Amino acid sequence: MAALLKDLSKELADAVEKAGGSLVRVEARRRLPATGVVWSAEGLVVTASHVVEQQEDIKFGLPDGSEAAAVFVGRDPGTDLALLKTEAKGLPAADWGDPDELRVGNMVLALGRPGRTVQATLGILSARGQGWRTPLGGEIDLFLRTDALMAPGFSGGPLVGSSGRVYGVLSSALSREAGIAIPTATVRRVAGDLATHGRVRRGYLGVGPQPARLPADLSEKVGQETGLLLISVEPGSPAAEAGLMLGDVIVGMDGQSTRHMPDLLGLLSGDRVGSSVAVRVVRAGKIEERKIKVGERP
Amino acid sequence: MSGIASALDREVEDLAEKVRRSLVQIRNGHGGAGAGAIWHPDGLILTNAHVVGRRAKVVLGDGVVHEARVLAVDEERDLAALAVEASGLPAVELGSARDLRAGQWVLAIGHPWGLEGAVTSGVVIGVGELPGLPAGGREMVAASLHLRPGDSGGVLVDAEGRVVGINTMMAGLDLGLAISVDEAKRFAKQALGTRG
């Protein structure tokens, strides 16, 4: 009688079972365990950074019910991602998909393994949008939100499509809004950095900037209405070395204009660490250009 | 792609209608009310202990109010068995919670805020071991749906209308906990066995 409903129910449970084979229980804090998703067949597992409160004595609960020791590889609090590794063999990597395959309104599942068994909630992809920056400065490639409930211990778990593919990692710490997922592309970038450097590198100038409106004549000359006024310059920082001073207004870097904070933060990516960039500043009504050797944010 | 959603709608309607026939209202005389399920055609009703007072009235689907006999109450498991003088009642179809899989579709039916026979649906979050949830060592089914006061004692059914749990409590706005039907089966058997 209820043929469609039965099929739908089975498909959802199948999707959970498929993705669940790549989920581990992460025991890295005293309270409730959380969830991790197998990133690669070498035993690398991604989880949420905020659930990793201890960097030693980390344990995984594996899909077959056994337990395995795990080591801490690195974390990026900015994107709330952490990378862990286990020597346990035979953990299948999740089927990581590109969220471009998802449309708003599609059915999605949130998964977790805070206990021995996999758990799931159902919802739809309720929003997708532009890349965004977390309050802690992490760069997320794509905004993904679901109305699927984040049950206790789901942080670090995957956002899964109806086919069982994994499109991102769930975190309850990035936003007051529930159901934010960090998309696959960001996970790939951050996991790569963490595997190579143990951290995500970010560029550093050592300035305290604040957006400020430029006077009309300058605005016309520079071709933008706002710039970043320096309200502090760290002594000994790359900016101080380059001669930047309190009151300077940064209007551009490396040929690109800096109108607002995100412009500058976006230009201070990890790959610029150690390189010399040209910074355009307005000082005392004149436009100057200075070379700064970008440092690494401590 | 035409019509899948509306076909699903009809299936859910039919399912709710079928299960609703086995649903009763429980009145405990203290202004409280909950739901219950017809477990046996000869008048065995199962519900939560917390919706039953020392006396309970059962309102059957046809609106007739019956004075119920309290057969057994287990506060710890939060289950109660009642008996009404009636026969040929439409009993629920029993399933098993052991076969439930996470992600599987389920429907809860009860009388939230007194709204008779209202339904809410979601999926099975997990069964049995539920870290971080107040299952309290009982065999529970967690589902992502909106249980409300008045839903207590109603049934949680699978896509085929088989009972998999007795809706018992909320563990958050969108998270409902139901006592496993297997636990309820054992309780009903004991209740009948001792007082039969």
Side-chain angles (χ1 to χ4, degrees):
Chain A
M1 141 203 150
L4 278 174
L5 200 53
K6 202 176 142 189
D7 288 350
L8 172 68
S9 182
K10 182 179 179 299
E11 274 188 27
L12 293 172
D14 286 347
V16 172
E17 196 173 303
K18 178 187 163 189
S22 301
L23 295 193
V24 300
R25 179 176 73 250
V26 176
E27 294 180 21
R29 60 178 174 183
R30 265 193 225 163
R31 291 171 293 124
L32 182 71
T35 306
V37 191
V38 181
W39 171 250
S40 69
E42 296 87 60
L44 286 172
V45 167
V46 291
T47 185
S49 173
H50 78 272
V51 306
V52 182
E53 291 177 0
Q54 67 210 43
Q55 300 190 2
E56 275 161 29
D57 297 324
I58 298 174
K59 250 194 309 189
F60 283 165
L62 307 183
D64 66 7
S66 64
E67 290 194 338
V71 293
F72 178 83
V73 178
R75 71 163 88 228
D76 177 34
T79 52
D80 196 29
L81 288 172
L83 193 66
L84 309 172
K85 191 175 194 312
T86 177
E87 295 301 325
K89 297 280 168 253
L91 277 181
D95 179 10
W96 292 89
D98 182 344
D100 278 353
E101 296 166 11
L102 288 182
R103 294 165 67 201
V104 170
N106 281 164
M107 273 190 257
V108 289
L109 294 145
L111 265 55
R113 189 190 286 283
R116 247 176 353 93
T117 54
V118 61
Q119 298 186 1
T121 60
L122 175 69
I124 57 173
L125 186 72
S126 40
R128 56 171 294 154
Q130 306 265 302
W132 60 291
R133 191 170 288 279
T134 70
L136 285 170
E139 211 175 319
I140 312 284
D141 297 66
L142 177 72
F143 181 76
L144 287 178
R145 196 175 83 200
T146 175
D147 61 353
L149 175 75
M150 287 284 286
F154 273 35
S155 267
L159 178 78
V160 171
S162 53
S163 62
R165 295 195 105 178
V166 172
Y167 294 105
V169 171
L170 298 160
S171 166
S172 60
L174 288 181
S175 159
R176 272 164 192 269
E177 287 178 88
I180 299 291
I182 304 150
T184 302
T186 308
V187 176
R188 177 174 298 118
R189 182 165 50 75
V190 172
D193 277 358
L194 294 178
T196 315
H197 307 290
R199 61 185 190 277
V200 170
R201 302 203 301 169
R202 289 192 205 288
Y204 170 75
L205 297 182
V207 294
Q210 184 177 295
R213 187 165 291 281
L214 297 169
D217 56 329
L218 266 172
S219 156
E220 204 164 301
K221 234 192 275 178
V222 187
Q224 64 197 63
E225 289 189 350
T226 59
L228 297 170
L229 170 68
L230 301 189
I231 54 172
S232 69
V233 178
E234 283 291 312
S237 67
E241 301 272 298
L244 259 61
M245 291 164 57
L246 205 69
D248 286 348
V249 179
I250 300 183
V251 293
M253 186 172 144
D254 216 6
Q256 306 206 45
S257 58
T258 54
R259 295 178 173 87
H260 306 285
M261 284 295 291
D263 298 337
L264 182 64
L265 289 170
L267 289 164
L268 289 173
S269 53
D271 53 1
R272 282 199 166 80
V273 173
S275 66
S276 192
V277 295
V279 174
R280 231 176 153 207
V281 294
V282 173
R283 178 181 294 174
K286 292 202 182 73
I287 301 163
E288 299 179 14
E289 196 147 290
R290 293 189 176 252
K291 286 274 181 195
I292 302 187
K293 192 172 173 217
V294 178
E296 182 180 346
R297 197 173 71 178
Chain B
M1 65 159 277
S2 78
I4 290 182
S6 52
L8 270 171
D9 281 348
R10 281 193 300 276
E11 287 191 8
V12 177
E13 274 169 44
D14 292 348
L15 194 76
E17 202 177 302
K18 180 193 149 201
V19 178
R20 202 176 280 125
R21 283 186 220 127
S22 308
L23 192 75
V24 302
Q25 295 176 58
I26 313 279
R27 292 185 189 156
N28 59 25
H30 299 288
I38 299 169
W39 214 257
H40 192 277
D42 289 339
L44 176 64
I45 311 285
L46 242 72
T47 182
N48 282 136
H50 77 262
V51 305
V52 175
R54 241 178 299 165
R55 292 166 52 208
K57 284 193 167 102
V58 169
V59 188
L60 297 181
D62 56 10
V64 177
V65 183
H66 290 253
E67 200 67 46
R69 203 152 49 89
V70 180
L71 290 181
V73 175
D74 185 331
E75 304 276 356
E76 215 159 288
R77 284 190 282 183
D78 201 357
L79 287 169
L82 311 175
V84 294
E85 292 296 329
S87 60
L89 300 177
V92 288
E93 189 185 337
L94 298 178
S96 171
R98 289 198 195 97
D99 308 328
L100 286 178
R101 301 164 72 202
Q104 194 180 327
W105 186 89
V106 281
L107 176 100
I109 183 159
H111 314 298
W113 306 118
L115 195 63
E116 281 176 47
V119 297
T120 170
S121 76
V123 295
V124 172
I125 296 175
V127 183
E129 188 200 10
L130 301 164
L133 295 179
R138 285 172 295 180
E139 209 175 293
M140 293 283 229
V141 179
S144 60
L145 36 70
H146 319 262
L147 293 186
R148 293 296 178 265
D151 273 322
S152 282
V155 288
L156 185 72
V157 299
D158 67 10
E160 292 173 85
R162 295 174 301 208
V163 174
V164 294
I166 305 281
N167 300 320
T168 298
M169 64 195 284
M170 299 181 268
L173 281 181
D174 300 321
L175 207 160
L177 289 176
I179 296 168
S180 139
V181 72
D182 306 298
E183 181 108 55
K185 281 180 196 167
R186 283 194 295 275
F187 170 76
K189 211 168 167 184
Q190 288 161 4
L192 285 181
T194 52
R195 306 270 186 112

